[in-house]
Amino acid sequence: EPLQPVTTADGDEILPLPADHVEGALVLRITRSAKRGGQTLFYGHDSGLYPAATLDALEQAGPLDIALLDCTSGGLETINRGHMSVGGVVQMAQELRARGAFTDATRVIATHFSHNGGLLHEELVQTLLPHRIEVAYDGMVVKV
């Protein structure tokens, strides 16, 4: 259920948050248990611009260590429903930085790309680099 935290058998907490994709779609804020390091990950795939309830919950929950943002629509700047474009990713990153959910220590990574987005990997890198957003690639490993 959205906004209802769940604790796993390992003590990790998963906070499901409303997504802008299809009815009932969720993005996830995952916090590892203290004995497993206590790191936080935001899994923000399959969503357009995040709903107000999601932004508010991320703000209230505190800073994230890693955030994965959907960039399926790539350079198609006007498409930010269901999935985000580069512009939507930048907008959400700025909003979440202003709210304190992203800090200078948060690794923000754009991923979930489509060939329909119209930008090659290097073009995405050059576009998102000034916004302190990394661009995922096949085989990328991110340690939490």
Side-chain angles (χ1 to χ4, degrees), residues 20-35:
D20 172 26
H21 191 68
V22 297
E23 186 175 335
L26 302 168
V27 292
L28 306 171
R29 185 186 194 279
I30 303 167
T31 305
R32 297 192 77 172
S33 69
K35 67 180 176 182

Side-chain angles (χ1 to χ4, degrees), residues 14-127:
I14 301 170
L15 179 61
L17 302 163
D20 172 26
H21 191 68
V22 297
E23 186 175 335
L26 302 168
V27 292
L28 306 171
R29 185 186 194 279
I30 303 167
T31 305
R32 297 192 77 172
S33 69
K35 67 180 176 182
R36 290 168 41 105
Q39 302 93 339
T40 59
L41 167 77
F42 176 60
Y43 188 81
H45 290 185
D46 285 330
S47 183
L49 301 177
Y50 303 122
T54 297
L55 296 170
D56 292 344
L58 289 170
E59 177 180 10
Q60 293 167 8
L64 294 154
D65 293 303
I66 297 175
L68 306 175
L69 305 183
D70 182 295
C71 193
T72 302
S73 299
L76 304 172
E77 293 299 320
T78 59
I79 299 177
N80 284 300
R81 294 296 318 269
H83 294 282
M84 283 189 275
S85 67
V86 167
V89 169
V90 170
Q91 180 182 339
M92 290 296 93
Q94 289 172 338
E95 178 72 24
L96 289 164
R97 281 190 181 103
R99 290 170 174 255
F102 291 2
T103 68
D104 289 342
T106 304
R107 282 188 73 184
V108 181
I109 305 169
T111 186
H112 201 267
F113 306 112
S114 166
H115 64 280
N116 297 321
L119 296 176
L120 298 175
H121 183 266
E122 283 305 314
E123 293 170 312
L124 286 166
V125 169
Q126 291 305 312
T127 302

